[in-house]
Amino acid sequence: MRVNLSGVNFTDSPGTYQLVFGDPDIANSYTVSKSIDMNEDNIWTIRSAVYDYFVYKKYTDIEASITRYDVNDTEIDNFTNATKVVIDIKCLKLSTTKRVGTVTVIKSTTGQVQIALPDAVQLSSPPLSGKYKVKCIASDGTESISDSIAYNSGSNWVNEIVMRSCSKLYDKLEMYEANDYRYTKNGRSYFVRFIGLNDDPGQFEIIDDPDSPLTGNNITFINETIHPFSHNIFYEPVPYELLRTYETKPQVLVSVDGHNAACPNLDCDFEFIEAVGEITSFTYTEATKLLSIVGTALPTEAAGFSQVEFAKSNCTIDASTITATGFSCTLDNNPTCGSEVPAVISAFGLIPNAAAISPQ
């Protein structure tokens, strides 16, 4: 449909107009558009004004375009010198019938608003109809032809028909809409995805159903391979929860009595550090509860020790005895019966005991 506007100065405020659409399929059925300014320059506003009739009455989306002409009928790109404006409204869904029967103009302008209906502008191309089939080719060259498929069949039904018809490919492919066409009357397109198939099948094709071939305007069949078969190993995406980042100082969550705690400088990290030193021997005097430790590369200050434990009892270090080769400590409690070895924990973790140490 075409709307021709003329006879006003488009740079002023030349008034408004409305279009009253008569439905050719329903007698005495009319739809009034929204009001449109004669000098409306936004094509989306014009499209919105007439949108309801075409979408809700005729079930088709539309495109609109605006062209301006000067006094010499030369196309220009603004309203400054325009003497005529032409608005074209195009239905995007192909049809065999007219979408507009009559158009009446309601206006508050001295300008002229002339309407050219589709039969005077451009009728729709014939919409798609009929049936088709899908030819499948397995990797060994075996050909299979599917049952007939109506042009407007849903993708799930198409997938079902092809699945049960393709020899040696059942449950190894899926077909879904490629969405190249907004309406089934305009055309159909599909993606074919192979699942769990370690072979290179042949090119699938859409072919005519000989009993009810597809009809339309210049029907073209296009069959192509988007992603060729590859001999590379393909892995499905790795779930996020299985991904890990290598950290030299991982962060930890710290809480006290169930309450979140903040670390110094907001840096709650820790390091994996090789153990320093070794406990080579020890003696325990039961009468005095004195534990004497002998080792190598031990901390030389009390602050270098976090805890010393022997026979399930904490042991208090005598700072005056600390050297790099040993120290003494006194058990805070009576030792637990059994064979035990001391556990000496420094600021960098547990100091290992030599393999030759014998429990007491």
Side-chain angles (χ1 to χ4, degrees), residues 94 122 124-129 185-186 214-220:
L94 300 181
Q122 180 181 347
S124 168
S125 298
L128 188 66
S129 63
K185 288 180 177 292
N186 294 21
L214 293 172
T215 60
N217 181 42
N218 191 27
I219 295 177
T220 303

Side-chain angles (χ1 to χ4, degrees), residues 48-84:
S48 176
V50 300
Y51 182 83
D52 287 357
Y53 171 75
F54 289 100
V55 172
Y56 299 121
K57 294 287 187 178
K58 300 288 104 180
Y59 309 108
T60 176
D61 201 354
I62 58 173
E63 287 181 349
S65 62
I66 184 170
T67 310
R68 308 162 195 84
Y69 298 90
D70 63 13
V71 67
N72 298 316
D73 213 28
T74 301
E75 184 176 334
I76 57 178
D77 59 3
N78 56 63
F79 276 112
T80 303
N81 298 314
T83 59
K84 181 177 70 173

